[in-house]
Amino acid sequence: MVYAVLLLEILLITVFIYFVSGRLMGAQVNFIKRVLSVALGVSLTTFVYWYSYLRYTDYLSESVLNTATDVSTIVWIGSILLISMLLYLLFELFDPIELGAKGERITGRKFIFRRLQHRWRRQKRLRQVVEIAIRNGISRALKYARHRENDRELAIAFRDTLEQSGGIFIKFGQVLSTRTELFPPVFVEELGTLQQNVKPLSSIQVQTILQNSLSDELDEVFSHFEMEPIAAASIGQVHKAILKKGNHHVVVKLLRPEIKRIMRDDLNILVEFAEWVSSRSTWAENLGFRELAIGFAAGLREEINFNIETRNMIQISNALENSPYQVKIPHVYTEYSNDSLIVMEYAEGKSIARGNAVFQQFGINQKDFARTVLFSFFEQMLDSGIFHADPHPGNIFIDERDGSPILLDFGAVGRLAAPQQEGLSLFIIGVEQGDASVIYDAVTLLVEDSQHIDRHRFEQAIGQILLKISFVNRIPTTELIHSLFDLVRDFGLSFYPSVGTALRSLITLDGTLHTIDPSFDMFTEAKVFAQKYKTAFLKKPFTEPKAVKERLESELSLLIPEMLKLPKRLDRLVERVESGKIILHHDVFSDRKNANFITQLFSRFILLMTGITFGLVSSALLAIAQFIQAAYAVYLNTAAYTGLFLCVILLVRLSVQAIRDMKRSNDI
């Protein structure tokens, strides 16, 4: 019975400490860390309390009331409170979770021990990659590449490191080999040799994926399914099949079952490896190697979610529905598709990567085919703003039935906002006209923080670029865009990420167009498109009067009510001016965010000073009590320890809040 009462007493004290510690530490205290800190605090202090005091007393025969009012018990409870708060502070300090604007966790909700296990596994893999890099001599090569960007030794060491690390690292190298605007030719050459040998999934694995992904049985969805894939890549593989409903010929794209685990582990390691390389090389840091890795990781995380690719296909297909350029997008069967499986229309065609032979086989004019592809991409970028971001030859097929282009693989899609669409349009027109001022206006819409550009110097630099590409039979698209990247970087600017994606897509597209027709000139044909684009824009009120009328009505419905208010507002303004009631001023506290920041900062400063004051005064009282022999010293000691107790509580509260503020996202 006595033990039950003691356990009940400890339980009540634990609940009391749980609520009091939470109130003292402030709002948004994490539940799990709070429970752990209180449980450990109660366990540790109870053991110490028993070992140092209770085992020498006959506490079982004493009443609960006497125990509760005993001075040692009060010290025990106070110690539990302090230890629990300090343990919470320790958990908060070593918890890497990032917080949002309201203190919510935004980088995952894994239990702390799972996070430690995951972190240990990541560090082990990172050590392996770094050891591979050092073994290949990349550290030595980086040392000498600080001022020699054409160092073949570094390119070979870098290629070998990525190849031996395998998996995501090989794919990263393959992507970097397309970034000819950033890397010198020797890097592009070496990284272009990277090959990833992907073993196809077994029939059992394919059946397992289909059973887990399809809502119905395999036989109920497909009347025929070929277990042998027609293509296999690092992310997924593709199979031919026939739908039972409608007997439609389709291709089924499956996500590899292990790819999400690989992404979770290796993408973070890749970014850490990029940080390691950047920290050892000024050249890599100036190149933005870490940012390249982060961008690659973000794009690849989207690629492994097939729901995003399905949405991309539907969006571009709808955007091109009324296009005058007959480019086909395979139909997606959304009723069977999900985040790990896509069922789409089978494209009866041949890849243009085969070159002249495939065009001769179907009797297709190569220049007309290339013009259709180019104009369709311009329309995607400048009209809808949603465009295929990876137009390499393997993603463009010739339809066997009518010879029209078919676009495939929408894992990488770019999106341009209206200002960037306008900027890209001006850029094409400026190159067509050879006008540096037009290109300057275009660049101001395409780059971030364009307010501080020296227009005269910038136009002079653009003029030099235009002179390099003038009076030639064909404008070198790759050289032009590379020069634009260099110019923007030299002026301390950077393109919006979506713009960088669009320009790199144009470089890829230019190479694809030369595969179709070696004599094709993108910017010569861009002049034709620009003229058609401007003509179509001017004719729109006549060709689509209903759509223009509806647009005007919607705009006027918003504008007219505001215009009707103008006379009354002007009259009030004149009255205020005449009466001298208008005062122009700027008050930092008129902004609610500024006011809240100042208030919060001042309140924390007050708490800090209060805690320090309690600590100083309590220390002084303890020192005075040492020289007093009377019973009065007991009261001084009590007051001093109480003050120190309050000092620790205030400082722990401020420390917890400071740590949580440091974890808040910079994007708030």
Side-chain angles (χ1 to χ4, degrees), residues 130 139 142 146 271-286 289-290:
V130 172
S139 297
L142 281 171
R146 292 178 185 272
V271 174
E272 292 182 16
F273 172 72
E275 291 176 347
W276 178 81
V277 172
S278 299
S279 67
R280 282 158 177 77
S281 170
T282 305
W283 170 75
E285 184 179 0
N286 293 337
F289 189 66
R290 177 179 176 274

Side-chain angles (χ1 to χ4, degrees), residues 181 481-489 495 500 503-504 507:
E181 80 278 9
I481 296 179
H482 288 177
S483 300
L484 185 64
F485 272 105
D486 292 339
L487 176 63
V488 167
R489 186 170 59 248
F495 286 114
L503 293 175
R504 286 189 290 272
I507 293 174

Side-chain angles (χ1 to χ4, degrees), residues 19-117:
F19 285 103
V20 172
S21 63
R23 295 296 298 173
L24 290 175
M25 287 185 291
Q28 300 168 347
V29 179
N30 182 261
F31 173 75
I32 295 177
K33 286 184 283 191
R34 188 172 165 187
V35 169
L36 278 175
S37 60
V38 171
L40 288 174
V42 170
S43 302
L44 290 172
T45 51
T46 300
F47 174 77
V48 172
Y49 181 42
W50 172 82
Y51 187 81
S52 61
Y53 177 73
L54 288 183
R55 67 176 180 155
Y56 300 112
T57 63
D58 190 14
Y59 62 94
L60 292 178
S61 62
E62 296 178 2
S63 67
V64 176
L65 180 62
N66 289 337
T67 305
T69 56
D70 189 76
V71 173
S72 62
T73 305
I74 295 174
V75 173
W76 169 51
I77 295 174
S79 300
I80 293 176
L81 183 60
L82 284 179
I83 296 297
S84 299
M85 292 179 66
L86 289 171
L87 285 170
Y88 185 90
L89 176 61
L90 187 67
F91 290 149
E92 194 72 53
L93 183 63
F94 287 98
D95 186 1
I97 294 299
E98 189 179 12
L99 303 176
K102 299 180 180 179
E104 72 277 11
R105 298 151 73 90
I106 61 177
T107 56
R109 298 179 176 274
K110 291 182 181 177
F111 192 59
I112 185 170
F113 298 112
R114 290 287 301 277
R115 290 200 301 274
L116 290 174
Q117 181 185 13

Side-chain angles (χ1 to χ4, degrees), residues 40 118 148 179 214 243 247 269 272 288 317 319 321 378 395 442 458 485 515 539 545 554 584 594 602 622 657:
L40 288 174
H118 177 61
R148 293 194 300 164
R179 299 297 301 271
L214 293 171
L243 285 175
N247 280 334
I269 294 166
E272 292 182 16
S317 179
E321 188 175 3
F378 278 158
N395 285 338
F458 201 86
F485 272 105
T515 301
K539 289 182 177 180
S554 63
L584 297 177
N594 291 339
F602 186 71
L622 281 175
Q657 291 176 346

